[in-house]
Structures are given as structure tokens and as C-alpha cells.
Amino acid sequence: MNTKRTAQLLSGFLLCIAACCNSWAQKSEGLASTPQMGWNSWNKFACEIDERLIRETADAMVQQGLKDAGFQYVNIDDCWQGQRDADGNIQPDPKRFPSGMKALADYVHGKGLKLGIYSDAGATTCGGRPGSRGHEYQDARTYARWGIDYVKYDWCDSPGLNAEAAYTTMRDAIAKAGRPMVFSVCEWGMSKPWEWAGKVAHSWRTTPDIYNCFDCEFSPGFSTGLGVLRILDKQASLRKFAGPGHWNDMDMLEVGNGMSEDEDRAHMSIWAMMASPLILGNDLRSMSESTRRILTNPGVIAVNQDKLGVQALRVLADGPLEVYAKPLDGGQWALMFLNRSNQAADVRHDWKKQVLVDDLSQRSVDFKQTIYRWSDLWSKKTGDTSTKLEARLAPHSVLMLRLSGPAKP
Ligand code: GLA
């Protein structure tokens, strides 16, 4: 064989390897082009989970109108795992999931929903079950065989591991398994995943776990839980990293788990404005009508799911009162007035005094030049920006508006 021919063959071979590697080295494309919406078992049930809960949750998601509102993933968090078999294949806990994961996935798919699962980059999960360390490709193949659609991947038992490398291994394992799965990094923001996870995953947790309160923090020593406002305050510098297919994850919702109605509405509004995944964390089988209405508010969900995928920015801070703005598709905007305080606060907003500017999306509005119509996404009131906005905000509450227009050129 002449040298030229050998070189051609070699370059063809290398190209082929590059193409193969490349096709392994992609996260599943086309998923989470808007923030993922679903439910997760952890916030409400922790390790008290079984297949019946998952089936009943899928039923409730349909019956309570959550599926119609856009929620689709039913995600099993930690503690579903039993032991690995002699070949190292992970098995579900036989007492809690006796029918197996394939049957559960079939059930959930039969409802038009998708099934998610949880694992960990370390050898053990946070709940002390087998993690995926050293079994990444095998586990991803197992998930694909079961029909799993979503993998949340945690970071316990990870000393000495490099986060980017560990998550990239699982991304590649999922790609190799050949079934599209949303890949959700849960590394609590420790290695600044927003800087590297855009190519690796569809979302990454930005903070330690959420704690079920509006404005508090819980640090029992070994871990920290952050209330709604504490999580919000950690997002300011991260907005430029979010966009279609790669989101800052503010953790699962606590709506319906005991905060006041105003706090729950504010919590839902904040997550929507910040384009965070909306993963419900309450018991869907027994929620109140008011919780159901908060979780299914179409206007608020539409802000979260807006196809532009721009995370809100804070445009005004006046004591406990803050204003956030989110540019929306079609020249529209969402605005949120947030009362952080536990006292009522008055909003007197003169639109003409502030030009709304977002350098990131290169959008701006000068309300002196342009009048927008607004609609209040919670109370359904309407108005326009030709007159001052006046409202009294209850403690820990929001006013959330969609601005459409211009009403006049
Ligand atoms: C970590 C995660 C939580 C949850 C638990 C499960 O704390 O951040 O969201 O998955 O582990 O053990």
C-alpha cells in the first residue's frame, strides 16, 4: 500500500473515531428547550417512597390538571435503590418497588408522562444507597432499558472527584445508552457548574437544598437549607449562563408544603421569573384547591416557559421592595414587584421615571415613548403604563405583570 493511501485510510479512521466520540459526547439535544416541568419525591417524602406513590402521583398529575398545565416528569429521588446484582446491575429496592422500574415507566408513559430517576456521582448517594461511581455506563444502559427519561445526578460521597469530569462521564454514558434523557446536575453550586455544565447537562443546581421557608436558613451543622429569598439572592450573577437547554436550577418547589398562600405565590412567581426548572415538591394527591391553582396558573407558567429563555434581572431595589424584569418573546416583558418584608409595602411605580434596560438580551423600553398594556397574572386586573401603578403588597407577596404592547406607537 502506498504512503498516500495509508494516510487516507488513517485519516478516515481517525475521522470515524472522532465522529463516534462526538456522537457519544453530546447531552441529549432538543430537551429542556424551556425549563423542565415535573414533580420530585424528595421535598415531601424523602426516603418514604414506593411504586404506589409514584403511580398515584402520575394519576394525580393528570387528574389535577397539572399535566395540562405543562408538568410532565415524574421524578423518583433518592432511596429507590436496592443492591447491585452479581453482575453489578443496580436493582430497585424489592420491597418498595416490587414490580420493577420498567413496569413503572410503562405505567407513567401510559399516562402521557415521563419518568425520572436519581443517582449520585459518588459510590453512595446522600441517602446511603449505591451511587453510580464506577458503574456509570452500566447504570445509564439500565435506565435506558427501563425507559427512564430524566436523570438527576447528586454529589454526595464525592471527595477527590472533579465535578466537571464526573458529570461529563455520566453525560457520555447517557449518550452512549442511546435514549434521550434530561440530565440534571445536582452539585449544589460548589464548583460553579454554570461555568462548565452548559454542554454537559440541561440544568444545574445553583445552591444547597431548599428549606421550606420564605426568609430563613437552616444550618444544623452538616448541611445548609436555604429559604426562598436566600436562593433568589444567589442567582443575580448567574443569568447570563441560562438559556434554552441549559438552566440555573433553584431546586424543587416547596409550594403546598406549609408556607402561606402569599409566600407560595411569591415562590412560584420567583421561580417562573428566573427561568428555573419547575419541579413540584408537594403531595399532588392531597393538595388544596388553592395550591392547585397556584401551581397551574397559566400566565405564570407561560412566563417560565417563554421560548426566549432569558432569566429575569433585578431592575430596582427600594428597601424591602424589589422589581424584577424578564424579557419575553415577541417584545413582551414580565415584571415582578416583590415585597421581601414581613410588613405590608406600598408600590407607587411611575413607569415614566425608569427606562427598562437589559444589556444581556439587548432589549429596552422607555415608557415615556411607548405605552404598554399590563395584566396582573394573579389577580387578572389589567391596566397600562400611561398611569402610575399603585398597589399595596401584603408581607412576602408579589405583584406579577405581563406587559404587552406597545399599546400605542
Ligand atoms: C441531596 C440533594 C437533594 C436530594 C437528597 C437526597 O441533598 O441536593 O435534592 O436529592 O440529596 O438524598
Side-chain angles (χ1 to χ4, degrees):
M1 206 183 307
N2 66 29
T3 329
K4 197 172 162 206
R5 179 77 186 127
T6 312
Q8 272 175 348
L9 280 175
L10 188 64
S11 76
F13 177 66
L14 289 176
L15 266 178
C16 176
I17 292 196
C20 296
C21 293
N22 195 35
S23 71
W24 297 351
Q26 304 280 325
K27 66 183 184 186
S28 311
E29 293 299 338
L31 297 180
S33 57
T34 59
Q36 58 267 37
M37 293 174 65
W39 173 89
N40 173 294
S41 52
W42 183 255
N43 282 0
K44 178 71 185 176
F45 299 98
C47 280
E48 290 307 308
I49 55 171
D50 58 22
E51 61 183 37
R52 180 165 164 206
L53 168 69
I54 304 304
R55 279 200 304 266
E56 290 178 359
T57 298
D59 296 347
M61 212 179 233
V62 175
Q63 282 156 14
Q64 301 291 332
L66 291 157
K67 180 185 171 208
D68 286 345
F71 294 92
Q72 61 168 335
Y73 293 99
V74 179
N75 293 347
I76 310 170
D77 207 274
D78 206 352
C79 301
W80 62 267
Q81 308 90 337
Q83 296 306 313
R84 292 190 181 276
D85 69 12
D87 297 322
N89 296 308
I90 188 71
Q91 309 291 318
D93 181 322
K95 288 210 184 66
R96 293 181 180 270
F97 294 87
S99 317
M101 287 300 172
K102 173 81 175 71
L104 200 49
D106 288 347
Y107 185 86
V108 169
H109 292 157
K111 302 252 148 195
L113 298 169
K114 294 179 184 298
L115 187 66
I117 215 161
Y118 161 103
S119 191
D120 189 291
T124 44
T125 69
C126 299
R129 309 294 170 117
S132 290
R133 179 87 178 125
H135 292 273
E136 293 87 351
Y137 281 79
Q138 188 177 22
D139 286 355
R141 273 197 309 276
T142 302
Y143 303 157
R145 207 171 49 242
W146 286 343
I148 298 294
D149 307 292
Y150 189 119
V151 178
K152 170 178 167 182
Y153 205 51
D154 213 340
W155 192 234
C156 276
D157 195 12
S158 60
L161 291 185
N162 171 286
E164 181 175 357
Y167 282 94
T168 302
T169 300
M170 196 53 173
R171 173 202 68 183
D172 293 352
I174 291 171
K176 181 85 193 316
R179 181 179 173 87
M181 297 182 221
V182 170
F183 188 37
S184 151
V185 167
C186 177
E187 170 275 3
W188 322 310
M190 302 217 307
S191 71
K192 303 190 177 162
W194 41 89
E195 287 179 353
W196 52 260
K199 290 199 183 75
V200 174
H202 300 93
S203 63
W204 49 86
R205 281 272 300 279
T206 56
T207 65
D209 288 7
I210 193 167
Y211 189 65
N212 186 19
C213 69
F214 197 72
D215 186 14
C216 78
E217 200 165 312
F218 179 67
S219 302
F222 51 90
S223 66
T224 304
L226 298 179
V228 166
L229 290 183
R230 310 290 163 104
I231 293 181
L232 170 63
D233 292 343
K234 292 195 181 296
Q235 309 304 312
S237 60
L238 306 185
R239 62 186 298 260
K240 65 171 184 263
F241 300 103
H246 49 100
W247 307 105
N248 288 312
D249 177 358
M250 296 167 71
D251 203 0
M252 288 114 34
L253 295 162
E254 291 284 9
V255 175
N257 284 342
M259 281 186 274
S260 73
E261 265 189 50
D262 280 331
E263 290 172 335
D264 272 355
R265 263 191 292 272
H267 176 20
M268 180 77 182
S269 305
I270 293 168
W271 263 234
M273 291 292 290
M274 303 308 278
S276 173
L278 294 179
I279 306 293
L280 311 170
N282 60 317
D283 188 343
L284 304 187
R285 303 165 307 174
S286 59
M287 63 187 161
S288 68
E289 179 54 18
S290 112
T291 296
R292 201 191 67 79
R293 264 187 280 136
I294 291 171
L295 293 176
T296 56
N297 181 310
V300 174
I301 289 174
V303 168
N304 176 261
Q305 295 290 299
D306 185 79
K307 71 172 186 212
L308 222 52
V310 181
Q311 183 171 319
L313 74 155
R314 194 176 73 176
V315 290
L316 208 80
D318 179 9
L321 204 60
E322 293 182 340
V323 184
Y324 289 79
K326 184 181 195 287
L328 302 177
D329 189 39
Q332 304 194 354
W333 290 79
L335 274 201
M336 179 180 75
F337 296 76
L338 165 67
N339 177 9
R340 300 172 63 103
S341 129
N342 48 17
Q343 310 286 316
D346 289 317
V347 173
R348 281 192 199 86
H349 187 71
D350 188 346
W351 299 97
K352 300 198 174 92
K353 286 210 171 123
Q354 200 198 10
V355 180
L356 202 55
V357 185
D358 177 20
D359 290 337
L360 181 67
S361 61
Q362 303 190 330
R363 290 263 306 270
S364 66
V365 187
D366 180 350
F367 294 106
K368 287 201 285 296
Q369 310 288 330
T370 321
I371 298 170
Y372 274 66
R373 288 183 298 274
W374 55 256
S375 63
D376 180 330
L377 298 178
W378 291 110
S379 78
K380 310 281 188 268
K381 278 190 204 143
T382 55
D384 70 39
T385 60
S386 64
T387 52
K388 271 191 199 165
L389 179 73
E390 301 206 336
R392 166 149 277 228
L393 288 193
H396 294 176
S397 77
V398 293
L399 180 68
M400 187 168 167
L401 308 179
R402 176 184 273 266
L403 268 54
S404 54
K408 288 184 210 156

